[in-house]
mmCIF file with all atom_site columns, all heavy atoms in Angstrom:
data_model
loop_
_atom_site.group_PDB
_atom_site.id
_atom_site.type_symbol
_atom_site.label_atom_id
_atom_site.label_alt_id
_atom_site.label_comp_id
_atom_site.label_asym_id
_atom_site.label_entity_id
_atom_site.label_seq_id
_atom_site.pdbx_PDB_ins_code
_atom_site.Cartn_x
_atom_site.Cartn_y
_atom_site.Cartn_z
_atom_site.occupancy
_atom_site.B_iso_or_equiv
_atom_site.pdbx_formal_charge
_atom_site.auth_seq_id
_atom_site.auth_comp_id
_atom_site.auth_asym_id
_atom_site.auth_atom_id
_atom_site.pdbx_PDB_model_num
ATOM 1  N N   . ALA A 1 147 ? 6.753  16.359 -23.065 1.00 97.00 ? 147 ALA A N   1
ATOM 2  C CA  . ALA A 1 147 ? 7.104  16.584 -24.477 1.00 97.00 ? 147 ALA A CA  1
ATOM 3  C C   . ALA A 1 147 ? 7.025  15.279 -25.265 1.00 97.00 ? 147 ALA A C   1
ATOM 4  O O   . ALA A 1 147 ? 6.463  15.242 -26.369 1.00 97.00 ? 147 ALA A O   1
ATOM 5  C CB  . ALA A 1 147 ? 8.495  17.198 -24.585 1.00 97.00 ? 147 ALA A CB  1
ATOM 6  N N   . LEU A 1 148 ? 7.585  14.209 -24.720 1.00 97.00 ? 148 LEU A N   1
ATOM 7  C CA  . LEU A 1 148 ? 7.521  12.911 -25.407 1.00 97.00 ? 148 LEU A CA  1
ATOM 8  C C   . LEU A 1 148 ? 6.081  12.409 -25.498 1.00 97.00 ? 148 LEU A C   1
ATOM 9  O O   . LEU A 1 148 ? 5.687  11.834 -26.514 1.00 97.00 ? 148 LEU A O   1
ATOM 10 C CB  . LEU A 1 148 ? 8.398  11.883 -24.698 1.00 97.00 ? 148 LEU A CB  1
ATOM 11 C CG  . LEU A 1 148 ? 9.898  12.054 -24.864 1.00 97.00 ? 148 LEU A CG  1
ATOM 12 C CD1 . LEU A 1 148 ? 10.660 11.075 -23.975 1.00 97.00 ? 148 LEU A CD1 1
ATOM 13 C CD2 . LEU A 1 148 ? 10.304 11.872 -26.320 1.00 97.00 ? 148 LEU A CD2 1
ATOM 14 N N   . SER A 1 149 ? 5.310  12.622 -24.460 1.00 97.00 ? 149 SER A N   1
ATOM 15 C CA  . SER A 1 149 ? 3.898  12.211 -24.482 1.00 97.00 ? 149 SER A CA  1
ATOM 16 C C   . SER A 1 149 ? 3.130  12.939 -25.577 1.00 97.00 ? 149 SER A C   1
ATOM 17 O O   . SER A 1 149 ? 2.365  12.320 -26.328 1.00 97.00 ? 149 SER A O   1
ATOM 18 C CB  . SER A 1 149 ? 3.247  12.489 -23.123 1.00 97.00 ? 149 SER A CB  1
ATOM 19 O OG  . SER A 1 149 ? 3.850  11.736 -22.117 1.00 97.00 ? 149 SER A OG  1
ATOM 20 N N   . ALA A 1 150 ? 3.322  14.234 -25.677 1.00 97.00 ? 150 ALA A N   1
ATOM 21 C CA  . ALA A 1 150 ? 2.652  15.004 -26.726 1.00 97.00 ? 150 ALA A CA  1
ATOM 22 C C   . ALA A 1 150 ? 3.111  14.543 -28.107 1.00 97.00 ? 150 ALA A C   1
ATOM 23 O O   . ALA A 1 150 ? 2.294  14.366 -29.021 1.00 97.00 ? 150 ALA A O   1
ATOM 24 C CB  . ALA A 1 150 ? 2.928  16.490 -26.541 1.00 97.00 ? 150 ALA A CB  1
ATOM 25 N N   . PHE A 1 151 ? 4.422  14.330 -28.261 1.00 97.00 ? 151 PHE A N   1
ATOM 26 C CA  . PHE A 1 151 ? 4.959  13.887 -29.546 1.00 97.00 ? 151 PHE A CA  1
ATOM 27 C C   . PHE A 1 151 ? 4.349  12.560 -29.964 1.00 97.00 ? 151 PHE A C   1
ATOM 28 O O   . PHE A 1 151 ? 3.854  12.412 -31.085 1.00 97.00 ? 151 PHE A O   1
ATOM 29 C CB  . PHE A 1 151 ? 6.480  13.772 -29.471 1.00 97.00 ? 151 PHE A CB  1
ATOM 30 C CG  . PHE A 1 151 ? 7.103  13.141 -30.676 1.00 97.00 ? 151 PHE A CG  1
ATOM 31 C CD1 . PHE A 1 151 ? 7.219  13.842 -31.860 1.00 97.00 ? 151 PHE A CD1 1
ATOM 32 C CD2 . PHE A 1 151 ? 7.550  11.826 -30.629 1.00 97.00 ? 151 PHE A CD2 1
ATOM 33 C CE1 . PHE A 1 151 ? 7.788  13.254 -32.993 1.00 97.00 ? 151 PHE A CE1 1
ATOM 34 C CE2 . PHE A 1 151 ? 8.119  11.234 -31.744 1.00 97.00 ? 151 PHE A CE2 1
ATOM 35 C CZ  . PHE A 1 151 ? 8.233  11.943 -32.928 1.00 97.00 ? 151 PHE A CZ  1
ATOM 36 N N   . TYR A 1 152 ? 4.375  11.561 -29.067 1.00 96.00 ? 152 TYR A N   1
ATOM 37 C CA  . TYR A 1 152 ? 3.846  10.240 -29.419 1.00 96.00 ? 152 TYR A CA  1
ATOM 38 C C   . TYR A 1 152 ? 2.335  10.273 -29.619 1.00 96.00 ? 152 TYR A C   1
ATOM 39 O O   . TYR A 1 152 ? 1.814  9.566  -30.488 1.00 96.00 ? 152 TYR A O   1
ATOM 40 C CB  . TYR A 1 152 ? 4.221  9.198  -28.361 1.00 96.00 ? 152 TYR A CB  1
ATOM 41 C CG  . TYR A 1 152 ? 5.672  8.803  -28.417 1.00 96.00 ? 152 TYR A CG  1
ATOM 42 C CD1 . TYR A 1 152 ? 6.470  8.854  -27.284 1.00 96.00 ? 152 TYR A CD1 1
ATOM 43 C CD2 . TYR A 1 152 ? 6.258  8.373  -29.601 1.00 96.00 ? 152 TYR A CD2 1
ATOM 44 C CE1 . TYR A 1 152 ? 7.802  8.482  -27.327 1.00 96.00 ? 152 TYR A CE1 1
ATOM 45 C CE2 . TYR A 1 152 ? 7.583  8.008  -29.657 1.00 96.00 ? 152 TYR A CE2 1
ATOM 46 C CZ  . TYR A 1 152 ? 8.357  8.069  -28.511 1.00 96.00 ? 152 TYR A CZ  1
ATOM 47 O OH  . TYR A 1 152 ? 9.667  7.700  -28.558 1.00 96.00 ? 152 TYR A OH  1
ATOM 48 N N   . SER A 1 153 ? 1.629  11.063 -28.841 1.00 95.00 ? 153 SER A N   1
ATOM 49 C CA  . SER A 1 153 ? 0.182  11.146 -29.011 1.00 95.00 ? 153 SER A CA  1
ATOM 50 C C   . SER A 1 153 ? -0.178 11.702 -30.383 1.00 95.00 ? 153 SER A C   1
ATOM 51 O O   . SER A 1 153 ? -1.047 11.166 -31.075 1.00 95.00 ? 153 SER A O   1
ATOM 52 C CB  . SER A 1 153 ? -0.427 12.038 -27.922 1.00 95.00 ? 153 SER A CB  1
ATOM 53 O OG  . SER A 1 153 ? -0.252 11.453 -26.664 1.00 95.00 ? 153 SER A OG  1
ATOM 54 N N   . ILE A 1 154 ? 0.502  12.752 -30.783 1.00 95.00 ? 154 ILE A N   1
ATOM 55 C CA  . ILE A 1 154 ? 0.233  13.360 -32.093 1.00 95.00 ? 154 ILE A CA  1
ATOM 56 C C   . ILE A 1 154 ? 0.707  12.436 -33.213 1.00 95.00 ? 154 ILE A C   1
ATOM 57 O O   . ILE A 1 154 ? -0.007 12.218 -34.201 1.00 95.00 ? 154 ILE A O   1
ATOM 58 C CB  . ILE A 1 154 ? 0.901  14.744 -32.183 1.00 95.00 ? 154 ILE A CB  1
ATOM 59 C CG1 . ILE A 1 154 ? 0.196  15.706 -31.226 1.00 95.00 ? 154 ILE A CG1 1
ATOM 60 C CG2 . ILE A 1 154 ? 0.889  15.278 -33.605 1.00 95.00 ? 154 ILE A CG2 1
ATOM 61 C CD1 . ILE A 1 154 ? 0.919  17.008 -31.004 1.00 95.00 ? 154 ILE A CD1 1
#
Side-chain angles (χ1 to χ4, degrees):
L148 287 173
S149 297
F151 172 75
Y152 286 127
S153 295
I154 292 168

